[in-house]
Each structure stands twice: as C-alpha cells, then as structure tokens.
Amino acid sequence: MGEMQKTYAPHDIEARQYQDWESKGHFQPKGDGQPFSIVIPPPNVTGALHLGHALEQTLIDVLVRTRRMKGDKVLWLPGTDHAGIATQNVVERELAKTGQTRHELGREAFIERVWEWKEEYGNRITNQMRRLGISIDWSRERFTMDAGCEEAVYQTFASLHERGLLYRGAYIINWCPRCTTALSDIEVEHEEAQGSMWQIRYRVVGASPGFGDYVTVATTRPETMFGDQAVAVHPEDERYAHLIGKFLELPITGRRIPIVGDTAVDPTFGTGAVKVTPAHDPNDFEIGQRHGLSPLLVMDIHGVMNDEVPAPFRGMDRMACRKALVAALEASGNLGETKPHTLSRGHCYRCKTVIEPYLSKQWFVKMSALAKDAIDVVADKTIEFVPARYEKLYFDWMENIREWCVSRQIWWGHRIPVWYPEDAPEDYVVSRDMPQDGRVYTQDPDVLDTWFSSAIWPFSTMGWPEKTADMADFYPTTMLVTGYDILTFWVSRMVTMGLALTEKAPFSTVYIHGLVRDSQGKKMSKSTGNVVDPLEMIDRYGADALRFALASLATLGGQDIRFSEEKVETSRNFANKIWNASRFVLMTLDQLELTVDFAWPEPVAAADHWLLGRFAETLKTVEHCFEQYNFALATESLWDFFWNVTCDWYLEVSKQDKAGSLPLLVMAVLKSVQLLHPYMPFITDEIWQLFRDSGRVTGMPTESVMMSAWPTLAEMSAFDAGVATRFAAMTDVIREIRYLRQQANIAPGVAVPVSIQGPAEAVADLQTATDILTRLAKVSTLSVLTAEDAIPSGASAAAVGSLSLYLHIGDVIDKGAEVKRLTKEIERLEAAIVTLKTRLSDPGFLGKAPAAVVDKNKAQLAQWEDELTAFSAQRASFA
C-alpha cells in the first residue's frame, strides 16, 4: 500500500477501499456466530440519496459493523422499491417530451419502457449508497418487482383472499384527480391552509314560513352539496329532535333529502346539523351505511362535476364549481354566513394536487381482523420499540385501524391477480395466470399499492414462500431501523403481514430515529431552499466526516436532529487528527527501527496506567451506548479518548521516552481505530492496513479492520487504578495552570514559578511529576507551601481537588488587567451566590426538591464561596 501520505485525502481512498471490500465479499455473512439480520428500508428506485437516508444507513451500518466485529453472522440485506406512482410519473414526463402519452403507447409497451428506465437509472441511488460506505450485502440485492418478490406478492394476495382477509368493495378512499388513482394515507401530504366555512340554508319541506323553516349546515366543500343524501343531527339535540324524519329541500336542485338522527353528530360543533354526502366523505359514508342512504357520486375521476349535477355546473372543475355555486346560493338567498377557516388540506405526494375523498370500488385488506395479534406482540414485548414512547403511537393507530385500500389505478406495479369472466364479472377468479376453462376473461386493470410489497419485505427478500436457507438462518430478522414518520404505515403493516403469513413477528426490536432538520430545526424542503445534499458533503469533507457528524447528532431518545455543515467540518478535523497522529506513530516506529506486537504491553509509567484505565472506561461507555442506541454519546467518548487522552496527553508525555512508550501508543491508536471503525470505516481501514503492511506491528490478525475482533477488557493488561487516578489529578493541575496562563495572557514560551499547598500525599504525587509540569505547563520552579504560609502576593490562584495552586504572575503580566479580570470573576460569583442562597432559603424549593438536589445546591454554594474567598484574596495581593 506504500507509505502514509502527509495529509488525509478521503477521495483518494474511499472508492478504492469500497471496491476492495465488496469484491472480497466482506459484506456477506461469515462464520457460525449468532445470526444478526436486518433489511434496509427500501428507498424508491426513482430517488436520490438525501440526509434522511444518510442518517438511517449510517446508524444501521454502525450496528452492523459492530456486530460483525463481535463475531455475529451478519446479514444486512439491500434493495429498492418500485415506487409505483413516482416511477410512472417520471416515465410519463419523459414520454411527454416526445409528445406521447402512456395511453397512446399502450400498457405493455409502457411497462416495457418503465423497465428500460429502471435498468438505465435505477442504480443511481444504490451507487450513491456505496459512497456512504455502508457494509450491505450487495450479492443479495432485491427489488420489489423482481421475480422472487413478485411471486411472494401474488402468494400473499391469494392467501389473504382465501382466508377472507382481502376483499373487493366500495369505500371512501383518497383520490388524486390528476394521477387518477387511489392513494394510501401515507401518500397524502397534509398542510395547514386558510379556507372558508360556508353556511348553507336547507328549507324544511312543509314548514310554515318564518317558523323553523330552514336548517343551516356548515361546509368547507360546498360543491359536494349536490351529493347530499341527508342532513344528520344528534337525536337528543332539542333544536332538531322534532325534525327527525322530516325532509329538506336541497338548494338549487330542489331534490328532497331526509333529516336523520345519529349520535356521531357533535351538537356543540357549528350549527349542530351536518350535511351527509356518503360518496365524498368517509364519516358521511359511515352515517349513510347506518341509515341506508345510497351514495351519489357527483364528480368523475378527474374532479369534474358529472351528469348528476344540474346545468350550468355540470362539466365544471370542482374548484370552479365551488366558486359558481357559492355565487348562486348567495343570489338565491340560501347562503348564510361565510367565515375564514383553517383546515388541514391533503395533497398528492407526487403531483401536489388537492386530493378528493371519493367513493370507489377497490380492493381492501381487512386490517381490523388482523390488528389484535399485531397489538399483542408489542404489548407483550415480543417486539420492543426503542424509544418505548413510540408504542403509544403504534397502539393508537392499530386500535383505530381502518381497512387498507390496496388497489391503485396505474400501470406500473404488481398487477392484481384477479380475472373477471365476461359473462359473470362477479364470479371472478384469483390466479396469477388467466384461467383456461374456455370462458373469456379480463384481468383487473389495477395494480397493488406499493406498500403491499413493502409490507412483506422482511421475508419476501429472504425467499418466502419457499423454505430457503436465508429464511432458516435469518428470519425473523433481528431488528429494524426506521424513522417515526412511517411507523404506522409501514412498520405496523410489516408486523401484521409477518404474523398473518409466517406466524412470526418479522423483527424483535424496532429502533426509531428522528428526522433530519436544518440548523434552525425547520423541515428541509426544496421550496424553502434549506436542503443539504449529502453527496456534496461527501465531496467536500469525505464520507467518514459526514457519518461521524450524523451519528454524533443521534442522541438517546430518537429526537429530530439539527444538521449543520459546521458539524461535518468539525468531524473532518477529527479525521485529520486521527490520520496525523497515526502517521506520527508509524513514522516514529520507522525512525527508531522498532517492531512491536499487536498486544497490550504491561504498564510501566504512571501515564501508562492512566491510558489503560481511560481506554477501559471508553470501551465500557461505547459498549453501553451500543446497547442503548446512544450513538451521540459513543462518538463523544471516542473523540475524547483519541483526541484528548491519546493525542493531547499521552502522546505529549511519551515524547520523553519514545521507544519505551511506543508499544502502548501503537495499541492505543489501533484499538481506537477498531472502536471508531463502525463510524468512520474508510480512514480506519486505511490506517489499519498501512500499519499491517508496514511490518512494524506483528500479529495484526486480519487484512481489514472490519474483519478483526472487537476489543475486550479481558485482553487488556492489568493496571493500577490508584496510580491512574494520581496521574489524572496531575493532568487536572496542568490543565488549570494552562487556564490561568491563558487568562493572564502569558506568552507560550514564558515559564512561570508555581507554588502548591495541600495534603502531603497529593503534594508528593505532584512533586514526582516535576519534569512533566515543567514541559507541559511551562513551570519554571515548583515550591511547596505549608498550611501556615501566607498566600503569595501577585499570584493567580486556583483550586484543583484538595490542592491550592498559585501561579506567580506578578512579574510577567499587567497587574491592572489582572485586577480587572479578578473583579469581574468576583462580581459573577457574588451574583451567583445571592441567587443560590435565595433558592436555598425558599421553603417552596426546600419542600418540593428531592434531597439529592438540595444537597447538590448546598455543595455548589460551598464551592462558590471558597472560590470567592480565593479570588478576593488574590485581588488583595495585587494591592
């Protein structure tokens, strides 16, 4: 591989490294360890990598790489979704450029054109995923419309239909007039909009003029009035109870409709009377079912008013009809008050057209019959949600589940395997192929909802319904990682289908992450202009920097994260630090012509004990974070050990004895590389291979760090915790001296005398490290004060544990500036002490706060008072 370049250049190594990993089969399951399996939430084949993908795939890869290094037999299975409406729209736009439509082309030719598009452009997102560095088994890549998944979809349809869990019926669905298809709830994007609430007066048939002769209803969609089949009131509403059973005259048309009593009506909302339009509102449909009202469609599939509507409104677009009808109602005296109204308006997720609740004959999965088992496996912890608070969202959805409309009026997708005989269409046959019984059949023209194939993704990708080796080894999968935005629409359906078809929950853990927002916490959108392209971040800073930044934002609890480019830049700086420190160690090995073993050496110096202790702490923290899915704390701990402990301290301390300290320094670097690998795979594997190929470290076990064994406490050398603690105290002293020097604005090269005062043992420990203090804290002399000695004049003071430090700065600083600094510190402490004393004298606080909180506040007060005394004495010494 050659020598280590002076600067880290991610673009020189990332493509090469990834090609090497993939070609050598490093991502495929190996060994006989415990199976760990996970399927990727399949991105749309039309999509491009966005930050949400980058976050999710980074977190999965951290889990997968860690499990692989821990010896598990790991399968991370990739694939993409055919994205029915989205893909069809893309290809239709391409056709439009040539002046063609899909209808002119014909169904078979159009489907062939979509497959051609998929072959040409469908690999875009998977190639982008490779740039992120994810260790996913591409040899098992699946597509929701490949032959195996297609067979699984048809078997699912047939099985559910045979068991009475899938049926054809008329129901209110979300309808896109532009795409002319039904939409699932997740395909409808809701946004708050300002509309109007119109009041319309319906004349009571036979009522005396001026005496209860009208019933007023309120609506945000007056154009649906033509489809009204009743007006409903609460049966106990005294205003209307006497009218139940009577009839009203529909304005404009004069058609008569009944007044019905229904307990679903809220008498306190609006006028207490609601128009019932069974063909254009889901709640009205239910009321209509209860009262035997026939639905009346008043629009066609394009949102145009149909022949059930009188002239001049017939043939109008629904929005144009709304405007014209309101004017006609006003002219006829049937329009009451019009009020501004804020509403949640649904739009098609692809074309942004306002959706229309629409009665249509569709295919439905009877989710109400499947919900109980899906609720039970979460309630009894067969499936565990992390964080657990998302169980409530899941239960709320499943306990109020609606039947799932699974048919779509498009061409691209899994065509519904139903055949209708021309002589008796209701006598349909469920079959993948046309029945060969001599009758003339026509296949259902609709396709299945994209989410239908996604619902069986965990096992269709493993080869179900066949009893494959992957099904035996890796199903049920170990876990799922996904965002909370598709918990109800995707996760719930996977659980339902897994139980219904395999009699097993499809996974045992669901880790739910937050969504990626901009630095201000706002949703990223093209219209806002705040979208960040992860590929641009990779181009600018490298994949490892982006991955580490995203992981560092994924805190315990699955909250949304605020992304900023500065975080990626900081992570790039960390990558540079890792590279530069590793290069220094490798160069030193070469310069001294040393060869060391890949094994923890026995500690000799106090710093050795301290380094081993800090690594043990880091390993424990990272292990705990892994179990808790606290990615942010893990990255913080790894950063601290490598940058602060290894580079800022041990590397500097060890320069006095390079040869003696190198074996431990090498292990600190390489073991850090192992722990960092799941987060920063490219740079860590490059460093690992450079050390291995150098011949300076013997016994490195594997060619790639990803195939090496995860570090353990058992392999470490024993260390003295007491010695480590005393060295840690010394680093605290150096840190405080550096702080005092900085505050006093002392030039880096100027050495300053220091006096210490405290318990004999602590003083003695510090005296043994005089050489380190001299070099790292620029201490010219170290003197010891007894308890009786006066505070030195012209000295800057600080307390570190049981020790008092005095930095003799009188001769090297501006005394006036130092007095001003001390005065500022004293004023800050005095104000803080007053606030804290007020709190501690408040009976309300003392009565309600836990004892531990009160004790913590008292300890803080004592510390501040000691600091105030020290600062005051120090200021007085300059007088």
Side-chain angles (χ1 to χ4, degrees):
M1 182 173 285
E3 67 177 36
M4 205 165 178
Q5 299 300 311
K6 185 175 182 180
T7 57
Y8 175 55
H11 306 109
D12 293 342
I13 69 169
E14 289 179 354
R16 168 175 53 79
Q17 282 279 23
Y18 200 87
Q19 185 178 10
D20 187 59
W21 294 336
E22 189 175 349
S23 65
K24 291 179 178 176
H26 287 339
F27 303 155
Q28 297 173 16
K30 288 182 173 62
D32 54 3
Q34 177 180 334
F36 178 90
S37 58
I38 187 168
V39 294
I40 195 169
N44 287 353
V45 71
T46 58
L49 193 75
H50 57 63
L51 275 179
H53 292 133
L55 170 67
E56 185 169 86
Q57 292 171 20
T58 292
L59 300 185
I60 297 175
D61 202 36
V62 169
L63 297 170
V64 162
R65 286 180 182 271
T66 304
R67 285 291 183 188
R68 189 180 289 118
M69 293 175 72
K70 282 177 171 287
D72 287 359
K73 186 178 180 181
V74 174
L75 170 62
W76 182 11
L77 201 149
T80 50
D81 191 287
H82 65 278
I85 296 175
T87 306
Q88 178 161 313
N89 282 346
V90 168
V91 178
E92 282 195 85
R93 285 197 295 270
E94 291 297 314
L95 280 176
K97 294 176 183 178
T98 65
Q100 287 182 293
T101 69
R102 65 180 167 104
H103 297 286
E104 293 170 344
L105 199 62
R107 183 166 191 148
E108 289 188 11
F110 178 77
I111 295 300
E112 185 177 339
R113 185 69 62 89
V114 180
W115 275 111
E116 290 172 1
W117 181 92
K118 191 266 179 186
E119 292 304 311
E120 185 172 356
Y121 299 106
N123 293 330
R124 177 179 63 167
I125 193 165
T126 54
N127 288 331
Q128 291 171 346
M129 289 157 61
R130 285 175 166 87
R131 291 200 60 194
L132 191 63
I134 61 173
S135 59
I136 198 166
D137 186 0
W138 294 110
S139 70
R140 284 175 166 83
E141 184 177 357
R142 303 303 302 269
F143 178 54
T144 51
M145 283 186 63
D146 66 29
C149 288
E150 188 174 53
E151 178 62 27
V153 166
Y154 290 132
Q155 290 293 336
T156 298
F157 189 99
S159 175
L160 294 177
H161 183 269
E162 183 179 353
R163 293 155 62 185
L165 297 171
L166 193 148
Y167 65 94
R168 190 171 187 241
Y171 198 73
I172 299 291
I173 44 86
N174 302 308
W175 184 265
C176 175
R178 185 267 174 206
C179 297
T180 61
T181 184
L183 300 174
S184 67
D185 289 339
I186 197 173
E187 293 167 327
V188 178
E189 295 179 346
H190 289 271
E191 61 181 41
E192 195 171 272
Q194 290 302 312
S196 296
M197 180 74 77
W198 290 275
Q199 290 188 350
I200 306 174
R201 289 194 287 264
Y202 292 33
R203 190 177 69 81
V204 179
V205 175
S208 302
F211 184 75
D213 52 345
Y214 285 96
V215 171
T216 301
V217 301
T219 181
T220 59
R221 298 160 63 217
E223 68 279 5
T224 64
M225 180 199 76
F226 294 115
D228 287 359
Q229 295 294 69
V231 166
V233 298
H234 195 284
E236 297 177 5
D237 190 335
E238 295 178 356
R239 296 170 296 175
Y240 304 114
H242 66 288
L243 294 175
I244 294 174
K246 294 185 181 298
F247 287 83
L248 300 172
E249 186 177 282
L250 200 64
I252 308 297
T253 70
R255 182 164 58 83
R256 292 185 175 188
I257 60 175
I259 300 175
V260 298
D262 197 288
T263 55
V265 177
D266 181 359
T268 66
F269 182 76
T271 65
V274 297
K275 58 193 287 296
V276 180
T277 319
H280 292 277
D281 184 274
N283 295 322
D284 293 1
F285 179 81
E286 298 292 343
I287 293 175
Q289 292 282 296
R290 288 194 290 271
H291 295 278
L293 303 174
S294 298
L296 179 65
L297 277 168
V298 295
M299 300 177 199
D300 67 13
I301 61 174
H302 302 288
V304 173
M305 309 310 290
N306 63 19
D307 290 342
E308 299 293 342
V309 177
F313 309 102
R314 186 183 308 135
M316 284 186 176
D317 174 79
R318 55 186 169 149
M319 298 304 176
C321 176
R322 176 180 298 179
K323 185 177 180 180
L325 178 58
V326 168
L329 289 169
E330 185 173 23
S332 65
N334 289 305
L335 185 67
E337 189 177 5
T338 300
K339 297 179 179 179
H341 182 71
T342 301
L343 68 159
S344 177
R345 184 174 288 156
H347 297 79
C348 173
Y349 81 113
R350 293 309 306 176
C351 68
K352 310 307 177 187
T353 301
V354 175
I355 64 103
E356 186 68 35
Y358 196 77
L359 181 66
S360 178
K361 205 163 191 179
Q362 304 283 344
W363 287 93
F364 295 89
V365 173
K366 194 179 291 184
M367 296 297 286
S368 55
L370 298 168
K372 184 181 182 302
D373 289 345
I375 291 171
D376 289 345
V377 292
V378 175
D380 66 16
K381 303 300 183 183
T382 299
I383 295 177
E384 184 177 3
F385 281 69
V386 181
R389 70 175 184 273
Y390 286 109
E391 287 182 1
K392 183 179 186 305
L393 176 61
Y394 178 85
F395 289 139
D396 287 347
W397 174 261
M398 296 303 295
E399 289 165 0
N400 299 281
I401 197 72
R402 293 172 55 185
E403 309 298 47
W404 176 17
C405 175
V406 295
S407 45
R408 296 291 180 270
Q409 290 65 50
I410 57 176
W411 290 353
W412 172 245
H414 298 281
R415 192 164 179 179
I416 291 176
V418 170
W419 298 84
Y420 304 99
E422 281 190 2
D423 55 347
E426 292 305 314
D427 187 21
Y428 62 79
V429 177
V430 174
S431 172
R432 183 167 182 176
D433 301 314
M434 185 172 69
Q436 301 297 318
D437 58 3
R439 301 169 79 181
V440 178
Y441 285 90
T442 301
Q443 187 174 2
D444 194 306
D446 294 348
V447 301
L448 288 163
D449 178 11
T450 296
W451 293 95
F452 193 87
S453 52
S454 297
I456 61 173
W457 184 248
F459 48 95
S460 67
T461 52
M462 302 281 188
W464 183 91
E466 301 299 322
K467 295 180 179 180
T468 64
D470 278 358
M471 281 292 289
D473 289 347
F474 299 113
Y475 185 82
T477 61
T478 309
M479 70 180 303
L480 176 77
V481 176
T482 189
Y484 62 75
D485 55 329
I486 54 175
L487 171 61
T488 54
F489 301 112
W490 186 44
V491 178
S492 64
R493 288 168 178 168
M494 283 191 288
V495 175
T496 302
M497 291 297 108
L499 293 170
L501 296 166
T502 72
E503 299 183 347
K504 296 177 181 178
F507 27 71
S508 55
T509 301
V510 180
Y511 171 73
I512 301 163
H513 60 75
L515 306 183
V516 183
R517 301 188 180 276
D518 70 10
S519 59
Q520 305 302 311
K522 297 178 182 177
K523 181 181 178 180
M524 291 188 178
S525 67
K526 292 180 180 178
S527 60
T528 308
N530 61 350
V531 173
V532 176
D533 184 348
L535 297 174
E536 289 183 6
M537 295 294 99
I538 292 173
D539 288 339
R540 203 168 297 160
Y541 303 106
D544 287 333
L546 176 62
R547 289 169 58 110
F548 196 82
L550 289 169
S552 72
L553 294 168
T555 56
L556 185 65
Q559 295 93 345
D560 288 351
I561 70 173
R562 296 189 175 195
F563 180 86
S564 68
E565 185 172 345
E566 290 76 13
K567 191 74 174 176
V568 186
E569 184 176 8
T570 301
S571 298
R572 189 273 314 274
N573 295 341
F574 181 47
N576 288 341
K577 187 74 171 181
I578 296 169
W579 184 265
N580 294 337
S582 301
R583 181 172 181 270
F584 171 80
V585 172
L586 195 54
M587 286 176 59
T588 305
L589 284 170
D590 284 338
Q591 290 168 0
L592 299 178
E593 297 184 347
L594 288 178
T595 300
V596 300
D597 293 330
F598 183 72
W600 289 105
E602 295 298 321
V604 178
D608 299 347
H609 291 272
W610 175 72
L611 180 73
L612 286 166
R614 289 300 304 271
F615 183 82
E617 291 173 13
T618 301
L619 179 56
K620 290 176 185 176
T621 299
V622 172
E623 292 272 13
H624 178 73
C625 291
F626 180 79
E627 297 300 328
Q628 298 297 313
Y629 306 103
N630 193 342
F631 301 92
L633 182 57
T635 59
E636 181 182 325
S637 179
L638 291 167
W639 177 299
D640 179 60
F641 178 77
F642 194 89
W643 194 308
N644 298 329
V645 174
T646 303
C647 297
D648 286 357
W649 286 106
Y650 191 78
L651 195 60
E652 292 301 317
V653 170
S654 67
K655 286 179 179 177
Q656 284 183 303
D657 181 16
K658 288 184 179 180
S661 61
L662 267 175
L664 186 55
L665 189 55
V666 167
M667 289 303 290
V669 167
L670 292 178
K671 289 296 175 179
S672 294
V673 160
Q674 287 181 294
L675 295 184
L676 282 162
H677 176 71
Y679 300 87
M680 309 177 84
F682 289 112
I683 189 172
T684 51
D685 207 31
E686 187 78 359
I687 291 170
W688 179 272
Q689 292 179 42
L690 284 164
F691 270 77
R692 192 173 188 272
D693 294 346
S694 71
R696 294 296 178 185
V697 183
T698 60
M700 289 183 69
T702 58
E703 176 188 356
S704 171
V705 67
M706 83 167 69
M707 310 309 294
S708 68
W710 185 257
T712 64
L713 294 173
E715 70 190 17
M716 294 184 64
S717 303
F719 60 91
D720 188 320
V723 173
T725 299
R726 290 193 290 274
F727 185 86
M730 187 269 295
T731 64
D732 291 339
V733 168
I734 293 175
R735 193 177 292 110
E736 193 62 39
I737 292 174
R738 287 173 172 174
Y739 174 75
L740 293 175
R741 290 174 61 94
Q742 181 184 11
Q743 291 297 306
N745 201 27
I746 298 173
V750 177
V752 179
V754 171
S755 296
I756 56 174
Q757 188 179 51
E761 185 177 359
V763 169
D765 287 338
L766 204 57
Q767 285 179 305
T768 61
T770 303
D771 56 336
I772 297 177
L773 289 171
T774 300
R775 189 159 49 86
L776 299 186
K778 289 296 179 181
V779 174
S780 57
T781 59
L782 182 68
S783 58
V784 179
L785 302 177
T786 66
E788 292 75 25
D789 288 337
I791 295 174
S793 61
S796 183
V800 180
S802 60
L803 287 172
S804 294
L805 303 178
Y806 301 98
L807 191 67
H808 298 267
I809 60 176
D811 295 333
V812 294
I813 66 161
D814 181 337
K815 292 183 180 180
E818 180 64 8
V819 169
K820 286 182 180 179
R821 184 187 73 82
L822 291 170
T823 299
K824 187 176 180 180
E825 287 292 328
I826 289 168
E827 290 172 349
R828 179 186 63 80
L829 283 169
E830 287 175 338
I833 287 169
V834 168
T835 300
L836 197 50
K837 281 184 174 180
T838 301
R839 182 188 304 165
L840 288 169
S841 62
D842 179 6
F845 171 75
L846 296 174
K848 295 179 181 178
V853 173
V854 174
D855 290 343
K856 185 176 180 180
N857 277 264
K858 288 179 178 179
Q860 182 68 78
L861 177 62
Q863 179 183 333
W864 284 347
E865 288 177 334
D866 289 344
E867 289 180 7
L868 178 61
T869 300
F871 279 129
S872 298
Q874 188 177 344
R875 183 176 63 177
S877 73
F878 285 103

